Amino acid sequence: MEKSTLFPIILLAIIIALFANMALGLISQDSIKAAEKLSPSDTIKEDQIKVYSDEVVINVSGAEWSEYTDTNSMDPVIDSGANGIVIKPKSESDLKIGDIVSYQQGIDLVVHRIVGIGSDELGTFYTMKGDNNSSSDPEKVRFNQVRYKTIAIIY
């Protein structure tokens, strides 16, 4: 082969190698630097939980039992068959990003995670999203719509 024919082939091979290295670098960076998942706030403190050989006692006032329907929006964390313990939040300061709450949407009670907290001319609002949903809920959720905060999930 002549030098003039060989040069474009070598240049093309170098460019392909550079793009391949960049692509592999992006893949490995993405897998190493996976986005941290949102976690609920620590509502139940360690001294409120007593584990005995024949029972578990969680000392939380106002706690209620919760059952969940099979909507798949909170898979795999919450699905049918899971049960939970919920409380009624007393103020906006009881709710944090990462908390799972039940909020009133028309006649439905929706269980989703708080992914954002903001404010506008009407006050504080929460951006909600089901863990298994591709996008956030379209509406702003207000504190007066929030009925429960999930503080434990029992399988």
Side-chain angles (χ1 to χ4, degrees):
M1 272 191 169
E2 290 183 27
K3 273 188 174 179
S4 61
T5 310
L6 196 55
F7 180 74
I9 294 171
I10 292 172
L11 183 59
L12 181 60
I14 291 171
I15 291 171
I16 291 170
L18 285 172
F19 279 113
N21 281 332
M22 286 173 41
L24 289 173
L26 290 174
I27 291 168
S28 63
Q29 284 178 1
D30 285 347
S31 60
I32 292 170
K33 294 182 179 180
E36 185 172 342
K37 303 285 185 191
L38 299 171
S39 299
S41 58
D42 190 14
T43 303
I44 305 172
K45 305 302 178 208
E46 191 174 339
D47 64 349
Q48 292 174 275
I49 305 168
K50 304 294 181 209
V51 179
Y52 304 101
S53 62
D54 60 341
E55 67 181 344
V56 175
V57 178
I58 302 173
N59 186 11
V60 176
S61 61
E64 297 181 37
W65 189 252
S66 180
E67 296 176 348
Y68 302 98
T69 57
D70 189 17
T71 66
N72 297 319
S73 71
M74 287 297 291
D75 282 353
V77 175
I78 297 174
D79 205 353
S80 63
N83 295 287
I85 299 173
V86 297
I87 58 171
K88 293 182 181 184
K90 294 181 174 97
S91 70
E92 292 175 359
S93 65
D94 291 339
L95 302 178
K96 308 283 189 253
I97 291 176
D99 286 345
I100 298 171
V101 300
S102 305
Y103 71 93
Q104 199 73 46
Q105 182 185 42
I107 61 169
D108 296 321
L109 196 59
V110 178
V111 180
H112 281 173
R113 189 180 303 274
I114 298 173
V115 296
I117 300 175
S119 65
D120 61 13
E121 64 280 353
L122 299 177
T124 301
F125 66 86
Y126 305 94
T127 303
M128 310 297 292
K129 182 180 175 295
D131 289 357
N132 198 33
N133 292 350
S134 59
S135 59
S136 299
D137 299 355
E139 67 282 342
K140 296 176 180 178
V141 174
R142 305 295 173 168
F143 180 76
N144 66 352
Q145 291 175 263
V146 177
R147 300 293 176 251
Y148 303 101
K149 173 180 173 177
T150 301
I151 60 170
I153 300 168
I154 301 169
Y155 301 102

